[in-house]
């Protein structure tokens, strides 16, 4: 069994605890928390797994890292990238296999800033650990899924990857209002779409798709559209969103090849289903979907609708992103130490998950 710790118990961490606990080759050895009130609590109670797991959450980072083989790093990285990088590097330098969605800049290691990439490569060399970064909305939907489907096409004009979300049931005030700008005046500039930020977060995914298709992106451009609410809406979790404030946001990170937009990672978000009804929606009218469209011959469209905690698609999307990185741990453990990208780590079939008996 691979002794595995989960660091963080937020949206991603909860799903990670469940995924590690369910994996036939992984042993949930420890859970690291930042919030002092969570120290000592059972991992089962912190993760919506429905039973006690017998693993008490700890804030002893060094003690935990000394006794594990693998780490799922689910602590926040977007607001503390240097600290997250230092945490992860410490683990890699101890020979630990680390997986995480928290290092946005490392999605495509080849185009990542040297100040991020070089310390990781040094830690790999020093300690023999590995790192795989994936999971950003939701990772596989913007890398291996479009690449896989591209292999079914005869000709390809454009590849579009969409995350479509209605935040009605999403209880994350700070992200929804401050970061994305829902309910804010139309002259408010949401930090998530401030110029260059979308390219920083999703540009690596555009480059990875291009790399898989044997082309190079000449330029990454951004396109943002916003819509105001026609009516005030009440949200059970997050309160009132006033008429005239932002009710929908849509943006694209566009990979330009030979002067044309060829690869697009797009987000379409709303605070209420009635806002921007002409924008893309999930096929079943649900609160979210991930979609890949290959424009070409034939035209190919794939929709993925995953649900989890409380039946919502936001936690379902999270859980699939987590499944991708957690299920890759045994493969990473079996391969050479290194810094891996999503094209190098295969999608691992759910071996042992139907019966919990490992047969291959
Ligand atoms: N949710 C998604 O769909 C998604 C998708 C892609 C990437 N990500 C990235 O994955 C990471 C986690 O996302 P999330 O949705 O799980 O966030 P979240 O629910 O807000 O949870 C935040 C986590 O960060 C920990 N934390 C907060 N401040 C910390 C600090 N100063 N030092 C160490 N740990 C700290 C919290 O610790 P405690 O466990 O003690 O509460 C908690 O585990 C973020 O970087 C996010 O950008 C998330």
């Amino acid at each position: 069994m691979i002794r595995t710790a989960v660091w963080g118990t937020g949206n991603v961490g909860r799903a990670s605890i469940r995924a590690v606990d369910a994996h036939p080759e992984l042993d949930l050895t420890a859970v690291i928390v930042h919030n002092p009130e969570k120290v000592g609590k059972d991992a089962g109670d912190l993760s919506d797994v429905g039973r006690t797991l017998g693993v008490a959450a700890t804030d002893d980072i060094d003690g935990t890292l000394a006794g594990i083989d693998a780490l799922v790093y689910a602590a926040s990285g977007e607001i503390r990238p240097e600290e997250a990088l230092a945490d992860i590097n410490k683990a890699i330098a101890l020979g630990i296999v680390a997986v995480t969605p928290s290092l946005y800049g490392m999605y495509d290691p080849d185009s990542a800033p040297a100040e991020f990439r070089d310390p990781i490569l040094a830690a790999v060399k020093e300690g023999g650990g590995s790192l795989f970064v994936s999971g950003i909305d939701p990772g596989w939907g913007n890398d291996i899924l479009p690449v896989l489907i591209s292999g079914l096409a005869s000709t390809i004009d454009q590849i579009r990857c969409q995350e479509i979300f209605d935040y009605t049931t999403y209880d994350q005030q700070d992200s929804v209002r401050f970061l994305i700008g829902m309910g804010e005046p139309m002259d408010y500039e949401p930090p998530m779409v401030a110029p260059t930020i979308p390219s920083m977060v999703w540009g690596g995914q555009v480059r990875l798709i291009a790399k898989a298709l044997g082309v190079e992106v000449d330029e990454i451009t951004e396109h943002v559209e916003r819509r105001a609410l026609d009516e005030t809406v009440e949200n059970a979790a997050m309160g009132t969103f006033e008429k005239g404030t932002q009710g929908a946001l849509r943006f694209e990170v566009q990979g330009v090849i030979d002067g044309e937009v060829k690869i697009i990672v797009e987000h379409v978000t709303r605070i209420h289903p009635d806002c921007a009804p002409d924008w893309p929606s999930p096929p079943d009218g649900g609160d979210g979907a991930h979609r890949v469209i290959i424009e070409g011959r034939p035209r190919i469209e794939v929709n993925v609708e995953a649900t989890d905690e409380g039946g919502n698609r936001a936690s379902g999307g999270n859980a699939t992103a987590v499944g991708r990185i957690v299920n890759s741990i045994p493969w990473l453990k079996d391969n050479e130490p290194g810094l891996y990208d999503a094209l190098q780590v295969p999608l691992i079939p759910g071996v042992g998950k139907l019966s919990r008996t490992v047969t291959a």
Side-chain angles (χ1 to χ4, degrees):
M1 295 288 270
I2 300 171
R3 297 169 301 165
T4 305
V6 174
W7 188 333
T9 57
N11 296 300
V12 175
R14 287 195 305 277
S16 301
I17 292 171
R18 298 195 297 270
V20 171
D21 171 61
H23 198 291
E25 294 175 67
L26 305 181
D27 176 40
L28 181 69
T29 309
V31 169
I32 301 174
V33 288
H34 174 69
N35 181 346
E37 288 174 14
K38 293 183 178 177
V39 174
K41 293 207 166 145
D42 186 80
D45 296 332
L46 292 172
S47 65
D48 191 34
V49 82
R51 63 194 161 82
T52 302
L53 294 179
V55 176
T58 179
D59 57 3
D60 177 6
I61 295 167
D62 290 340
T64 300
L65 295 184
I68 58 169
D69 310 303
L71 173 70
V72 184
Y73 189 83
S76 53
E78 73 280 33
I79 44 171
R80 45 185 291 284
E82 283 83 16
E83 289 92 332
L85 178 67
D87 291 344
I88 290 166
N89 270 344
K90 188 187 256 193
I92 299 170
L94 290 167
I96 292 166
V97 160
V99 297
T100 185
S102 302
L103 294 182
Y104 289 174
M106 288 310 300
Y107 213 92
D108 174 30
D110 288 351
S111 59
E115 65 266 29
F116 256 67
R117 191 183 51 235
D118 293 351
I120 296 170
L121 291 174
V124 168
K125 203 168 168 193
E126 180 188 337
S130 290
L131 176 64
F132 174 36
V133 180
S134 176
I136 296 150
D137 305 329
W140 51 265
N142 300 332
D143 50 60
I144 46 167
L145 182 63
V147 168
L148 179 76
I149 298 166
S150 74
L152 308 176
S154 300
T155 63
I156 300 174
D157 299 324
Q158 191 180 66
I159 299 178
R160 179 179 293 270
C161 310
Q162 291 177 325
E163 177 172 271
I164 305 167
F165 264 119
D166 166 9
Y167 287 112
T168 301
T169 59
Y170 198 59
D171 185 9
Q172 284 269 347
Q173 285 268 13
D174 280 355
S175 302
V176 171
R177 289 186 187 272
F178 166 71
L179 205 60
I180 303 167
M182 299 298 182
E184 296 294 327
M186 290 303 284
D187 59 4
Y188 174 79
E189 190 179 77
M192 191 164 86
V193 290
T196 74
I197 298 296
S199 302
M200 189 271 286
V201 178
W202 290 278
Q205 301 180 329
V206 169
R207 289 199 169 85
L208 268 187
I209 296 171
K211 197 192 301 180
L213 270 71
V215 287
E216 256 187 53
V217 173
D218 304 323
E219 187 192 2
I220 303 253
T221 52
E222 299 171 358
H223 176 75
V224 179
E225 283 180 60
R226 304 164 70 205
R227 291 271 180 89
L229 280 163
D230 291 332
E231 300 295 340
T232 296
V233 296
E234 292 299 330
N235 182 284
M238 293 179 283
T240 306
F241 290 77
E242 299 283 352
K243 176 179 175 179
T245 64
Q246 182 186 298
L249 169 73
R250 178 179 189 174
F251 64 90
E252 296 183 357
V253 178
Q254 306 166 325
V256 178
I257 297 166
D258 294 336
E260 285 183 53
V261 174
K262 292 286 190 182
I263 301 171
I264 300 162
V265 173
E266 177 179 24
H267 279 229
V268 180
T269 59
R270 316 175 157 78
I271 193 59
H272 192 273
D274 288 350
C275 201
D278 52 317
W279 288 2
S281 297
D284 69 346
D287 62 353
H290 292 97
R291 175 180 293 161
V292 175
I293 303 166
I294 308 266
E295 298 291 356
R297 255 191 112 164
R299 181 182 187 277
I300 309 171
E301 177 172 324
V302 173
N303 289 278
V304 179
E305 296 159 3
T307 48
D308 205 328
E309 299 170 359
N312 75 56
R313 299 268 168 83
S315 74
N318 259 339
T320 56
V322 162
R324 168 78 169 127
I325 54 176
V326 168
N327 294 339
S328 73
I329 290 173
W331 185 92
L332 290 162
K333 210 52 205 123
D334 284 347
N335 280 273
E336 290 297 310
L339 172 55
Y340 288 89
D341 69 33
L343 301 179
Q344 294 166 317
V345 180
L347 183 62
I348 316 288
V351 173
K353 306 248 167 159
L354 273 174
S355 65
R356 300 218 54 183
T357 305
V358 181
T359 56

